[in-house]
Amino acid sequence: MSEAAHSLWSASKFESIMLCPGKIVLEEGKPNSTSKYAAEGTAAHQVLTWALQEERPAHAYIGRVIEADGFIFEVDQDMANHVQVCVDYANDLKGDDGTIFADIRVNYSSYLDTPEHEAWGTADVIVARGNELIVVDFKYGMGVEVDAEKNPQMSLYGLGALQAYHGLVADFETVRMAISQPRIKSAPSEWDCSVEELETWGRSTARSAVVSCKNATLHVGGIPGEWEKVYLRPSEKACKFCRAKATCPKLRAEVSETVFGAQPASPKEFDDFQTITEIPMRAADEAWLAACLDKADLIEDWCKAIRAETERRLLAGDGVPGYKLVQGKRGARQWADAKVAEETLKTMRVKLEDMYDFKLISPTTADKLAKAGTIGPRQWPKLQGLITQSEGKPHVAPSTDSRPALVVTPVVDDFTDVTPVDDLA
């Protein structure tokens, strides 16, 4: 049977269904909207494929126009620079004795025990070299940094590559999985494992996830509340790109519990003032802050999804009680034809300093000019000495973040106690 247009057990969404088996039921029939940022990533992937398949640098495609998911992009210097990072990495992996396969559809159905047309994905880059099989995923976004270690998406690509090439190209012993995110950091995230370890994961953990999803589909509509309890498991990872986020009953309940779950103090507790004052309030506050902050991103994403789903329904002509579409604020004024406006102003003998806004280019633009050769290699160091960059502002991150924690001393430690000794007696 030929493969369908979409993979039921898509590698890119597999981690989310492992975490929340019921989402596969709730997402059915929901529209899958594509953002301009995602479409830009698709365009960058196309440049990567061209560069690897045609063995040319990414810069060779500057000026090429690409249509992706309804959006039009022109390959510029910035996109070419980032794509080239992955191109260079893939070529380094290949070495003198390896083989590169770019934009390859792989099938991992045998590991999941599903029909072939239901379990496939497209690997950006596969490199076969000696007894090692390497799978590279290129991510063009600037959002969340993704780790390759035990990553379900990468693991499925690895299994698909094994199903396609193991024994045909070579008898592989190890599989290396790498994620290249050049817009976040230049070095890719890598993880190695044995073929045996990866195949064991596929036939056990991954296959079990598929069974859970199938059970969720079979048992929907059973005892009220029981299905949601068993198969819906809201979390930041599971919900982030879920198409049913705005209407998920379990997520709605979780948000309500987080926001409104704390019960107010009773009159008896207020009367017992001595008891309340003895409670370590600072410790209690810190515990609440930590608990609520764990849910903050999830709740914020849920709120955005609610607004987006409401707007989608109203734009489709479906009613949402209590809400309507209205005309928004008008956009900024602009020339219908800048060239005609420019020529018209010239006929009016308007002075150049009044007619044009002159602004010094930014260091980022200057860097691009240096890379393009407009600013020479001897000139650029002189400009670099004139560039300053402020330190990043401190911001909150989970304790699992790889960056070191900032050491912050209490403000009181910055002052010296000048109280006279006699006053302390």
Side-chain angles (χ1 to χ4, degrees):
M1 184 175 182
S2 62
E3 291 174 338
H6 299 284
S7 174
L8 178 61
W9 309 111
S10 165
S12 60
K13 71 176 185 180
F14 200 80
E15 182 175 22
S16 66
I17 64 173
M18 288 177 68
L19 296 170
C20 181
K23 73 174 294 180
I24 200 166
V25 175
L26 297 187
E27 283 190 327
E28 187 174 359
K30 295 284 194 301
N32 189 13
S33 57
T34 300
S35 69
K36 184 177 181 179
Y37 301 107
E40 185 182 30
T42 300
H45 276 77
Q46 181 61 70
V47 178
L48 174 66
T49 300
W50 285 337
L52 290 176
Q53 290 182 344
E54 298 173 8
E55 298 183 351
R56 303 176 69 192
H59 301 85
Y61 305 97
I62 292 177
R64 184 81 64 91
V65 175
I66 301 174
E67 189 280 328
D69 300 321
F71 297 92
I72 302 296
F73 301 95
E74 181 177 334
V75 181
D76 59 13
Q77 185 78 41
D78 192 50
M79 180 182 286
N81 287 343
H82 288 116
V83 171
Q84 189 62 39
V85 172
C86 190
V87 172
D88 291 340
Y89 175 61
N91 285 324
D92 286 344
L93 292 173
K94 170 180 172 285
D96 297 327
D97 56 346
T99 305
I100 288 182
F101 305 93
D103 194 39
I104 297 296
R105 178 169 289 190
V106 294
N107 194 296
Y108 38 83
S109 57
S110 64
Y111 296 99
L112 303 185
D113 193 27
T114 63
E116 285 191 9
H117 67 280
E118 291 185 354
W120 53 269
T122 303
D124 295 331
V125 185
I126 297 174
V127 179
R129 186 178 185 184
N131 61 6
E132 184 180 38
L133 184 62
I134 310 166
V135 181
V136 181
D137 190 49
F138 173 60
K139 296 189 183 298
Y140 192 66
M142 298 176 64
V144 180
E145 184 179 336
V146 184
D147 192 354
E149 185 173 356
K150 297 183 179 179
N151 183 295
Q153 178 182 7
M154 297 305 300
S155 296
L156 287 181
Y157 287 151
L159 290 172
L162 282 174
Q163 187 167 309
Y165 300 117
H166 191 51
L168 297 177
V169 175
D171 291 322
F172 302 109
E173 296 177 4
T174 60
V175 179
R176 188 193 313 187
M177 286 156 277
I179 297 177
S180 175
Q181 293 182 273
R183 298 179 81 185
I184 293 180
K185 62 177 186 178
S186 57
S189 171
E190 296 184 338
W191 182 58
D192 296 344
C193 72
S194 67
V195 169
E196 181 182 5
E197 181 183 355
L198 185 60
E199 291 187 325
T200 298
W201 175 87
R203 296 191 177 104
S204 56
T205 305
R207 187 175 294 187
S208 295
V210 170
V211 172
S212 294
C213 291
K214 289 181 176 179
N215 287 338
T217 303
L218 289 173
H219 299 149
V220 66
I223 302 173
E226 190 65 22
W227 184 87
E228 289 87 346
K229 181 179 178 181
V230 174
Y231 296 107
L232 296 181
R233 305 162 192 167
S235 68
E236 188 177 350
K237 277 190 174 182
C239 300
K240 190 169 185 64
F241 299 110
C242 180
R243 301 200 299 271
K245 179 162 44 181
T247 54
C248 173
K250 189 66 178 287
L251 177 56
R252 184 167 60 241
E254 178 127 340
V255 171
S256 298
E257 176 65 25
T258 301
V259 178
F260 306 111
Q263 295 297 317
S266 68
K268 174 70 170 59
E269 289 171 325
F270 273 110
D271 288 340
D272 193 358
F273 182 76
Q274 180 64 32
T275 301
I276 291 180
T277 57
E278 291 174 355
I279 297 176
M281 295 300 291
R282 181 176 176 82
D285 284 349
E286 290 172 350
W288 269 109
L289 281 173
C292 292
L293 197 56
D294 283 344
K295 302 288 185 181
D297 288 342
L298 180 62
I299 293 173
E300 288 171 355
D301 284 347
W302 177 75
C303 292
K304 292 177 184 177
I306 289 291
R307 293 190 180 95
E309 178 64 12
T310 300
E311 182 179 281
R312 185 193 69 79
R313 293 191 180 195
L314 291 173
L315 287 171
D318 300 330
V320 176
Y323 291 89
K324 62 182 179 181
L325 287 176
V326 296
Q327 192 69 44
K329 183 180 178 181
R330 298 184 69 182
R333 294 180 297 174
Q334 57 184 354
W335 300 117
D337 190 319
K339 191 66 177 177
V340 172
E342 182 181 34
E343 294 301 324
T344 303
L345 285 168
K346 287 180 179 178
T347 64
M348 298 176 181
R349 299 183 182 277
V350 177
K351 295 180 180 179
L352 288 178
E353 58 267 30
D354 293 329
M355 184 171 162
Y356 295 99
D357 289 325
F358 292 101
K359 183 180 178 182
L360 187 66
I361 62 174
S362 68
T364 300
T365 302
D367 189 15
K368 292 179 180 179
L369 292 177
K371 290 176 180 177
T374 304
I375 296 176
R378 293 184 179 179
Q379 298 170 318
W380 176 232
K382 296 179 182 179
L383 285 174
Q384 284 182 305
L386 302 175
I387 296 173
T388 183
Q389 189 171 20
S390 61
E391 293 293 332
K393 292 183 178 180
H395 69 276
V396 179
S399 57
T400 54
D401 192 285
S402 59
R403 291 167 293 183
L406 295 177
V407 178
V408 181
T409 57
V411 176
V412 68
D413 291 350
D414 294 333
F415 294 87
T416 302
D417 187 353
V418 295
T419 305
V421 176
D422 291 344
D423 292 349
L424 299 176

